[in-house]
């Protein structure tokens, strides 16, 4: 292991932001793009990054070192666990992998075929 | 007397290739009696998904996008390309262009060097190939030598290429049997909506520039729906020119086999068009067209092909940004800028492509990157903005992630009208991006139709 770290960005739109308001997570929410959105950045080890890339083959690391194109189901579950656990760290990411991987993969497979348009 | 005025460059190699036979009688005569071979996509052996279809290379050769290349390469020509990135006639060219067939097809056809082959697409006559040579190769070796290795190409290659790299994967999945020779389209493609209104092959593109009064035109490479970073790249790079900024900006989209998760070709074309339709860059200065090509993601090598194609289209300049035509971290993020500023000797490119004999006449505009800076309050250019702590990078992947989560990207990084284009095609396909269903449907339909054509004795 090189000790390199990567990031996962959990974007908070108005609805999600309401759910973290008044919790410790609110302090972690950084305004982005002139305050149009907020984002919580979670740093993960190379080991966890590799696991994510392996579990979700369409995900990729972008030029900023962020792991992108993770399934929507993964991001949604991660956000729910962040709220439930009150933390936004590698532990929350690993909790998704350990507790909810099958369910996330099942939903992700459906996402491959159809996502309802807005 | 020296002049600072820049004029439209000649085609690469001097003359535009035009191998499209439009006379129906002559076309029928050319194909009469020739054995038929149906063109099929190259499939990824691991996934079964189409990763390339050679008909796109046929179109790009025959209409002159790849001038002076006028056919599929012989073994000697491929060796020359791999050693020096030049064709046998000396003109620069980055990639082996190979027409590969299966052993079964070769046996069934029973063709030999000197024979003519009728190539059909979706069952209809499309083109003829005059076989100059039948030769064999090792696909893995071809893939490796095409892109290089960190050891052999230390100036730019950072990580060994593998099957996750789409270009490597294309060569690695070829059959290993090549038919070389000139190719001629005998049944002109009729492009479907929306491709039809963006179809400006080199001759038509040059005519269109003339009609618009564009003397200087800067090319923008895309395989993406544009975000504000792309738009600012276009606007800033277009200040290059000669005694005035470039008259025109040509967005030349590469249309071909896609990766899962990419934007659809339809959204890419109309997304860029939305930039001019809604006046973010005036339609008097901005136009969109496309080239058919299953992109090899060869970063500096791909930029060389882009230079060739866009010079053939009539452009005087080409903008190159960070991670040009790149995927993953195989290459240095500025590998393309290295090529166009000092060359890459390990690829046989001892000088920048525009400063070598039998090289290009198009001029590079090597650019850095753009990010959002809250302190500058704008999409800022990397060489200008010194607010390292404040800067917020955004990528196409990040924006795709937002969209798929049901979040409309904020207008400061994404034009609402471009988002509406994405939603339009999302409704059409039931999915915002390329998925396996889109890939298969696209291979079944293609970008164009062919009319019926009788070929005696074929």
């Amino acid at each position: 292991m090189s000790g390199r770290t990567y990031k996962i960005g959990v974007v908070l739109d108005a609805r999600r932001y309401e759910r973290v308001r008044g919790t410790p997570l609110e302090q972690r929410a950084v305004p982005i793009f002139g305050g149009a959105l907020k984002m919580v950045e979670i740093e993960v080890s190379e080991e966890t990054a590799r696991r994510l890339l392996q579990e979700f083959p369409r995900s990729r690391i972008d030029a900023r070192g962020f792991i992108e194109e993770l399934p929507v189901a993964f991001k949604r579950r991660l956000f729910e666990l962040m709220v439930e656990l009150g933390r936004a760290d590698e532990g929350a990411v690993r909790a998704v992998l350990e507790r909810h991987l099958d369910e996330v993969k099942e939903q992700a497979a459906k996402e491959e075929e159809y996502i309802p348009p807005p | 007397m020296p002049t600072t005025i820049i004029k439209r460059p000649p085609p690469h190699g001097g003359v535009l290739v035009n191998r499209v036979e439009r006379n129906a009688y002559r076309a029928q005569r050319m194909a009469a009696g020739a054995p038929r071979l149906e063109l099929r996509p190259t499939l990824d052996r691991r996934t079964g998904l189409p990763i390339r279809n050679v008909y796109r290379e046929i179109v790009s050769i025959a209409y002159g996008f790849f001038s002076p290349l006028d056919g599929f390469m012989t073994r000697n020509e491929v060796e020359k390309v791999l050693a020096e990135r030049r064709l046998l006639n000396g003109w620069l060219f980055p990639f082996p262009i190979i027409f590969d067939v299966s052993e079964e097809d070769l046996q069934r056809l029973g063709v030999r060097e000197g024979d003519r082959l009728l190539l059909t697409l979706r069952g209809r006559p499309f083109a003829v190939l005059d076989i100059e040579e039948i030769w064999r190769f090792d696909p893995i070796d071809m893939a490796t030598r095409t892109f290089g290795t960190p050891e052999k190409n230390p100036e730019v290659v950072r990580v060994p290429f593998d099957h996750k790299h789409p270009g490597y994967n294309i060569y690695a999945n070829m059959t290993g049997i090549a038919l070389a020779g000139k190719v001629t389209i005998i049944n002109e493609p009729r492009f479907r909506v929306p491709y039809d209104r963006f179809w400006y092959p080199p001759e038509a593109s040059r005519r269109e520039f003339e009609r618009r009064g564009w003397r200087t035109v800067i090319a923008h490479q895309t395989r993406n729906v544009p975000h504000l970073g792309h738009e600012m790249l276009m606007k800033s790079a277009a200040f290059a020119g000669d005694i005035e900024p470039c008259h025109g900006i040509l967005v030349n989209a590469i249309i071909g086999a896609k990766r899962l998760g990419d934007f659809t070709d339809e959204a890419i074309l109309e997304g860029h068009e939305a930039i001019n339709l809604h006046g973010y860059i005036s339609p008097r200065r901005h136009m969109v067209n496309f080239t058919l090509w299953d992109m090899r993601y060869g970063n500096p090598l791909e930029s060389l092909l882009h230079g060739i194609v866009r010079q053939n289209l009539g452009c005087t300049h080409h903008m190159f940004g960070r991670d040009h035509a790149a995927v993953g971290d195989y290459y240095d993020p500025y590998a393309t800028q290295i090529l166009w500023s000092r060359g890459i000797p390990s690829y046989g490119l001892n000088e920048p492509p525009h400063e070598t004999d039998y090289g290009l006449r198009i001029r590079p505009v090597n650019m850095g990157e753009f990010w959002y800076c809250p302190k500058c309050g704008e999409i800022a250019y990397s060489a200008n903005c010194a607010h390292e702590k404040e800067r917020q990078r955004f990528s196409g992947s990040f924006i795709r992630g937002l969209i798929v989560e049901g979040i409309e990207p904020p207008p400061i990084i994404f034009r609402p009208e471009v988002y509406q284009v994405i939603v339009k095609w999302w409704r059409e396909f039931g999915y915002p991006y390329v998925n396996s269903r889109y890939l298969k449907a696209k291979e079944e339909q293609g970008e164009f139709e062919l009319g019926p054509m009788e070929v005696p004795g074929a």
Side-chain angles (χ1 to χ4, degrees), chain A residues 24-38:
Chain A
L25 291 176
E26 186 180 4
Q27 306 304 314
R28 297 280 307 278
V30 179
I32 55 173
F33 307 127
L37 294 171
K38 292 186 169 55

Side-chain angles (χ1 to χ4, degrees), chain B residues 192-312:
Chain B
R192 300 174 193 280
V193 175
Y195 301 101
D196 53 351
R197 69 177 186 275
F198 301 104
W199 177 236
Y200 288 88
E203 228 176 82
S205 169
R206 285 170 171 261
R207 265 200 316 273
E208 180 64 14
F209 291 176
E210 195 65 38
R211 188 187 71 77
R212 290 172 177 239
W214 289 357
R215 177 170 46 75
T216 49
V217 184
I218 189 163
H220 174 71
Q221 151 63 23
T222 191
R223 56 177 184 86
N224 245 318
V225 167
H227 55 56
L228 263 284
H230 299 126
E231 190 182 313
M232 291 308 295
L233 168 65
M234 284 187 255
K235 286 173 168 170
S236 305
F239 280 111
D242 45 26
I243 56 169
E244 55 198 356
C246 279
H247 295 166
I249 298 171
L250 176 71
V251 177
N252 183 234
I254 295 295
I255 299 296
K258 315 297 284 185
R259 293 180 303 156
L260 297 174
D262 283 349
F263 282 111
T264 62
D265 286 329
E266 293 84 351
I268 292 168
L269 288 166
E270 290 195 348
H272 275 281
E273 184 187 41
I275 295 293
N276 69 51
L277 287 180
H278 297 280
Y280 296 110
I281 303 178
S282 167
R284 290 190 298 277
R285 196 187 186 206
H286 179 273
M287 70 175 268
V288 183
N289 70 1
F290 67 89
T291 299
L292 291 182
W293 169 243
D294 300 314
M295 206 160 104
R296 306 301 200 250
Y297 293 86
N299 193 326
L301 298 174
E302 203 81 34
S303 79
L304 180 52
L305 183 73
H306 292 161
I308 292 168
V309 168
R310 279 79 196 235
Q311 180 176 322
N312 287 331

